[in-house]
């Protein structure tokens, strides 16, 4: 045994091995540094001009791209074509191109598609203004074109790695597609700008799935690469529910940047990010620190745009399992509260955010056709109004924090203070008082909306709970339609139908955070027919407080 020890010890300190390691590793790290420097010095993100990008795809490539669906319906891989790209000065050949986007933003190639372009894949060393890869986002969910740009600048200011963005006017096969958001790619060139060692695993969270889902390796060197870093994160996060040890999480997760990202998700109302919706994120396994680093993505619906709410609770129920685990510990909760206050003071400055919005508005207006300028100006005005609304709401929440829901001796509490959302019309979406004095929440569907709901918020500590209430429906009819009781963010809840008979429906859920501001939802899905909820029967039952 001593002989073996001396053998390995001699290998460890062998000058020859050390020299070999330096000779082998130095060129790789030097090349990565050069690529990172080229990207960092790209003129795309600091210029006052907006780049003009012309894309030409031959018919066989267009046929391939027409087979793309937003879910990646070809075994998870989107069809790719080769394109010729020009910026008016230089022409780039054999550029790999595929369609991007998910449920809200995906558009077919013959419409106004989102696109990802890889200049280095088929022509090694080829870059576009220093970038090997970038995406062109169609911004169909953000008519202001501001959320991605301002959002990413805010995360970067707070120390969270995130690709940069700017703007481009795009034509495809001679067809003017208009203004796009140009976003730097998530690849090793990007990683080398933020990490000393860019050779780790970069995971793509995909569409609305947690870390236990089928995460793909983005820009992986080897498809059979060791993914033990992700498996370890899953194991430690799952065990955290039982042992509640912050130090175990901190050993495998960059908790500082994770909590910063989560706090900014909340401050900016990034409802479609990892913490609140298990969506739009990347994870990097840093080989040096041996920790996983979360990074945000797809932030085109900030400040209540889309399905979001500009009054997002500062202590929301977290849907991402890592967020629940971290905030479920005493240390994680304290770090979150501290970080939330710091970022609100030092980063979330409403006047600076609005000033930046107006600066970008001037640039964007110059690139828009005359018939789009007025609509864009209105969208920018609304974006700035939502920033003001968020600032006022944060002031209210920080100055008067809500109290925890109080349960009676039977272990339940009635739920009150319901407010409508997605109202189809004020006359068909209102509280109703029956002749017997009982009060009901009523929804009259329009037959067109995907859902309509009443909502309220309650503060709940860690524990197991049951939501219950009496409901009656009329004319719901179609298969898969009916009434849902749930909490915001819950998925795969099957609607039920009562049809002229009162029926109790229930929904079990857990709060894993130390305390969470939970949004309770009483919903008609889709908004077809009518439903009545008996207000007096709507309650939360506390099943356990651990």
């Amino acid at each position: 045994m001593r002989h073996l020890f001396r053998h390995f010890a001699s290998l460890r300190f062998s000058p020859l091995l050390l020299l070999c390691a330096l000779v082998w590793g130095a060129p790789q790290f030097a090349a990565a540094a050069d690529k990172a420097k080229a990207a960092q010095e790209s003129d795309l993100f600091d210029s006052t001009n907006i780049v003009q990008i012309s894309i030409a795809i031959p018919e066989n490539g267009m046929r391939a791209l027409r087979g793309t669906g937003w879910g990646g319906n070809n075994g998870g891989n989107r069809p790719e074509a080769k394109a010729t790209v020009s910026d008016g000065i230089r022409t780039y050949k054999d550029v790999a191109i595929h369609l991007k986007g998910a449920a809200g933003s995906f558009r077919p190639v013959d419409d106004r598609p989102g696109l990802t372009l890889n200049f280095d894949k088929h022509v090694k060393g080829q870059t576009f203004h220093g970038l090997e890869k970038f995406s062109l986002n169609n911004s169909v969910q953000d008519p202001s074109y501001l959320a991605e740009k301002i959002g990413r600048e805010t995360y970067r200011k707070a120390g969270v790695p995130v690709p940069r963005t700017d703007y481009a006017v795009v034509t495809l096969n001679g067809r003017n597609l208009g203004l796009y958001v140009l976003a730097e790619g998530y690849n090793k060139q990007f990683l080398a700008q933020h990490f000393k060692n860019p050779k780790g695993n970069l995971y793509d969270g995909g569409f609305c799935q947690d870390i236990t889902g089928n995460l793909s390796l983005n820009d992986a060197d080897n498809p059979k690469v060791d993914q033990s870093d992700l498996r370890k994160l899953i194991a430690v996060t799952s065990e955290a529910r039982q042992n509640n040890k912050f130090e175990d999480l901190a050993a495998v997760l960059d908790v500082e940047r994770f909590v910063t990202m989560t706090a900014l998700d909340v401050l900016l109302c990034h409802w479609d990010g990892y913490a609140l919706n298990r969506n739009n994120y990347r994870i990097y396994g840093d080989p040096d620190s041996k920790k996983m680093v979360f990074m945000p993505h797809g932030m085109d619906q900030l400040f209540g745009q889309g399905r979001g709410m500009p009054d997002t609770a500062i202590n929301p129920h977290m849907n991402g399992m890592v967020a629940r685990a971290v905030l479920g510990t005493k240390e994680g909760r304290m770090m979150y509260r501290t970080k939330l206050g710091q970022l609100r003071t030092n980063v979330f400055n409403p006047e600076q955010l609005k000033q930046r919005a107006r600066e970008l508005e001037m640039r964007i207006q110059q690139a828009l056709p005359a018939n789009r300028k007025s609509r864009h100006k209105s969208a920018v005005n609304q974006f700035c109004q939502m920033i003001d609304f968020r600032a006022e709401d944060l002031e209210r929440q920080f100055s008067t924090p809500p109290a925890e829901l109080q349960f009676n001796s039977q272990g339940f509490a009635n739920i009150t203070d319901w407010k409508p959302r997605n109202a189809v019309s004020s006359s068909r979406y209102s509280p109703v008082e029956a002749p017997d004095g009982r009060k009901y929440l009523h929804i009259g569907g329009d037959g067109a909306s995907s859902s309509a709901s009443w909502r309220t918020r309650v503060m709940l500590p860690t524990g197991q709970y049951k939501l219950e209430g009496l409901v009656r429906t009329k004319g719901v009819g179609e298969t898969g339609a009916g009434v849902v009781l749930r909490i915001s963010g819950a998925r795969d809840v099957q609607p039920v139908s009562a049809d002229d008979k009162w029926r109790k429906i229930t929904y079990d859920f857990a709060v894993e955070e130390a305390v969470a501001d939970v949004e309770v939802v009483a919903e008609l899905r889709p908004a077809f027919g009518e439903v009545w909820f008996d207000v007096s029967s709507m309650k939360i039952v506390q099943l356990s407080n651990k």
Side-chain angles (χ1 to χ4, degrees), residues 149-378:
K149 180 76 170 172
I150 290 178
R152 292 178 189 234
E153 288 177 351
T154 305
Y155 282 90
R156 288 173 69 93
K157 183 178 179 181
V160 178
V162 63
R164 296 163 293 175
T165 62
D166 206 79
Y167 303 102
V169 174
V170 181
T171 60
L172 173 59
N173 289 346
R175 184 166 55 95
N176 187 353
L177 301 182
L179 187 69
Y180 275 66
V181 175
L182 186 155
E184 183 178 18
Y186 264 115
N187 59 358
K188 283 184 170 54
Q189 190 182 41
F190 161 77
L191 294 173
Q193 297 176 57
H194 299 274
F195 302 93
K196 292 181 179 179
N197 187 347
K199 304 294 287 185
N201 293 341
L202 177 61
Y203 296 94
D204 184 340
F207 178 69
C208 288
Q209 61 177 355
D210 217 316
I211 61 173
T212 52
N214 184 27
L215 272 61
S216 62
L217 273 171
N218 188 330
D219 198 46
D221 289 331
N222 181 358
K224 296 182 179 179
V225 70
D226 178 19
Q227 298 186 39
S228 59
D229 52 358
L230 180 61
R231 291 194 295 271
K232 188 171 183 179
L233 176 65
I234 293 171
V236 171
T237 302
S238 300
E239 292 169 2
R241 300 180 183 183
Q242 284 76 39
N243 58 35
N244 200 30
K245 290 184 178 179
F246 177 81
E247 58 267 28
D248 291 351
L249 289 162
V252 298
L253 174 71
D254 187 332
V255 291
E256 175 70 24
R257 281 190 277 201
F258 181 81
V259 171
T260 299
M261 182 190 78
T262 300
L264 274 177
D265 284 355
V266 171
L267 289 174
L268 302 179
C269 305
H270 184 25
W271 72 271
D272 205 20
Y274 174 75
L276 301 180
N277 200 38
R278 297 161 291 179
N279 199 28
N280 286 314
Y281 66 98
R282 301 289 191 272
I283 312 174
Y284 181 57
D286 186 354
D288 291 348
S289 69
K290 308 298 182 186
K291 295 184 179 183
M292 304 295 275
V293 182
F294 277 71
M295 297 174 285
H297 186 60
M299 53 194 78
D300 56 353
Q301 297 184 71
L302 302 184
F303 299 114
Q305 297 187 98
R307 291 173 49 200
M309 297 293 286
D311 58 347
T312 299
I314 60 175
N315 295 301
H317 174 69
M318 300 293 178
N319 284 298
M321 62 182 289
V322 180
R324 293 199 306 270
V326 172
L327 270 63
T329 66
K330 179 181 178 182
E331 298 90 339
R333 191 67 182 176
M334 185 177 299
M335 180 183 287
Y336 171 77
R337 288 174 174 171
T338 301
K339 185 64 68 175
L340 199 68
Q342 291 174 344
L343 292 171
R344 182 193 173 213
T345 300
N346 301 327
V347 176
F348 184 84
N349 184 313
E351 294 307 315
Q352 290 181 1
L353 291 172
K354 289 188 296 180
Q355 179 180 346
R356 182 59 172 152
R358 295 304 181 184
E359 292 171 355
L360 294 171
E361 177 190 13
M362 293 178 64
R363 289 185 59 209
I364 294 170
Q365 284 278 311
Q366 296 174 8
L368 293 176
N371 61 352
R372 297 289 302 277
K373 292 181 184 290
S374 177
R375 178 174 180 264
H376 175 255
K377 185 172 288 291
S378 296

Side-chain angles (χ1 to χ4, degrees), residues 14 56 138 213 274 307 317 354 470 504 520 530:
S14 167
N138 54 23
Y274 174 75
R307 291 173 49 200
H317 174 69
K354 289 188 296 180
L470 293 173
K504 177 188 286 189
V520 180
E530 295 183 82

Side-chain angles (χ1 to χ4, degrees), residues 43-105:
D43 62 343
L44 291 175
F45 305 107
D46 297 320
S47 173
T48 57
N49 297 322
I50 293 179
V51 66
Q52 308 283 320
I53 297 178
S54 176
I55 303 170
I57 304 175
E59 183 54 32
N60 63 337
M62 292 292 287
R63 284 197 299 269
L65 297 180
R66 288 186 183 108
T68 305
W70 71 261
N73 58 356
N74 293 273
N77 297 313
R78 299 193 178 191
E80 181 184 283
K82 287 185 179 180
T84 300
V85 178
S86 173
D87 61 1
I89 300 173
R90 180 180 170 186
T91 298
Y92 307 82
K93 301 287 188 178
D94 294 329
V95 178
I97 189 167
H98 67 261
L99 271 59
K100 68 177 296 291
S105 62

